[in-house]
Amino acid sequence: MKKRWIFASLSAVILLATIFTRTTHRPVEVSALTLEPGRVEQTVSCIGVVEASDTTVVALPITCVISQVNVKSGDRVRKGEVLAVVDKEATGKMLFSTADLMTLAAMTDEITAPCDGTVMEACTSKQPLEYGTPCALLAADEDLQVRVAIRERELRSVKQGMKVRITGEGFEMPYYEGELVKISSTARTDDGGTVVEGLVTLAEGVFDPSLRLGLTAKAAIVTSVTENGYIVPYEAVLTDEEGSYVYVLNNGQAQRQEIAVAAQVAQGILLGDDSIVSKQIICDAASISDNGQRVTVRGSEA
């Protein structure tokens, strides 16, 4: 009886060992890629808001009575669009100067927008508009800018004149080109820490009506550009006490390969050399448990 029990135990051990051996030596299925060169940008990300860098004042040459106002704050207008209408008869009754009466006679009763833009302020109707008081304030399209908050830790990387890509959830276009034209000489604090304000002007001709004043914007300040750079996806890179490395395919095995990291960018790791550019890199590096582990590429015939 005892011999039978020993024999059964040995058989179970052998069976488990066989199963373990088969499982251990079964190739791990992985995805792999070969790197292709491309243009790589290193950027600093900031949050900002669309605002007007200047306002265009629409004023009248004399005191006038406004009979009709066609716009209000926040309206979009086109050049030549009628903003308000002057009541010339009522205006004439309140003027005494011959010069003012001559000016009134030469005026049109329609006050029009001098440019495309957004109405910041507008007068009210049925009231005399004193000379020198704006009939309307416009933020011209060409005067729009984005005020951004640059984090303290990013300041050393950022300089005036750098190109900027502007994006926003409320914008019609995927992105707009701009330039960082000013960095404040003072800092302030917000919920995220210390920031320095910067101003980004938009490239000429990029405006569209979706760039509304007050909208939140995201700015990617381009700090450097590498032509023909190589990017390794983050999921393909591992790091330990010896540094950063990837696994490359070598005769059906995962072979560890150290890499030189030039920078971390949005798409992944920018390589500092070309030592692995001709090799197949295993994308899902976390699935590899040992250097030399047998692997098979997902979708291959092997």
Side-chain angles (χ1 to χ4, degrees), residues 210-247:
S210 69
L211 285 167
R212 295 178 174 88
L213 295 174
L215 281 181
T216 300
K218 295 179 181 179
I221 304 171
V222 181
T223 57
S224 70
V225 176
T226 301
E227 300 294 348
N228 297 317
Y230 291 91
I231 293 291
V232 182
Y234 280 112
E235 59 269 22
V237 180
L238 298 172
T239 303
D240 60 17
E241 63 277 3
E242 296 181 15
S244 297
Y245 63 97
V246 297
Y247 284 108

Side-chain angles (χ1 to χ4, degrees), residues 32-226:
L33 62 82
T34 302
L35 301 181
E36 296 290 340
R39 188 174 190 269
V40 182
E41 294 181 345
Q42 296 182 50
T43 61
V44 167
S45 298
C46 308
I47 299 297
V49 63
V50 180
E51 64 176 27
S53 62
D54 198 3
T55 54
T56 298
V57 178
V58 181
L60 298 175
I62 56 174
T63 297
C64 292
V65 176
I66 303 299
S67 63
Q68 180 180 322
V69 178
N70 297 337
V71 296
K72 63 183 183 301
S73 179
D75 284 352
R76 286 276 308 145
V77 295
R78 304 287 291 181
K79 182 178 180 180
E81 185 175 335
V82 178
L83 304 177
V85 178
V86 175
D87 186 335
K88 298 188 73 172
E89 182 178 352
T91 298
K93 293 179 179 179
M94 60 182 290
L95 297 177
F96 301 99
S97 164
T98 301
D100 285 349
L101 288 171
M102 292 178 63
T103 300
L104 178 65
M107 285 174 52
T108 175
D109 61 351
E110 293 183 339
I111 305 169
T112 60
C115 59
D116 294 351
T118 301
V119 178
M120 304 288 288
E121 295 180 17
C123 64
T124 57
S125 61
K126 308 300 183 183
Q127 293 183 0
L129 190 67
E130 297 293 333
Y131 169 71
T133 302
C135 173
L137 293 178
L138 300 181
D141 291 349
E142 61 267 23
D143 290 331
L144 289 187
Q145 64 185 15
V146 177
R147 184 178 297 274
V148 298
I150 306 168
R151 294 294 170 192
E152 184 177 14
R153 62 179 178 273
E154 309 284 10
L155 279 174
R156 292 184 179 180
S157 303
V158 175
K159 293 180 176 58
Q160 287 183 206
M162 286 182 168
K163 301 300 181 184
V164 184
R165 280 196 309 277
I166 301 295
T167 59
E169 293 182 359
F171 299 161
E172 182 176 321
M173 299 290 290
Y175 67 91
Y176 301 89
E177 298 287 351
E179 180 181 339
L180 183 64
V181 295
K182 183 179 179 181
I183 301 174
S184 175
S185 59
T186 60
R188 62 177 175 83
T189 57
D190 61 14
D191 294 340
T194 303
V195 298
V196 171
E197 290 188 344
L199 292 178
V200 177
T201 58
L202 301 177
E204 185 176 353
V206 304
F207 180 84
D208 72 66
S210 69
L211 285 167
R212 295 178 174 88
L213 295 174
L215 281 181
T216 300
K218 295 179 181 179
I221 304 171
V222 181
T223 57
S224 70
V225 176
T226 301

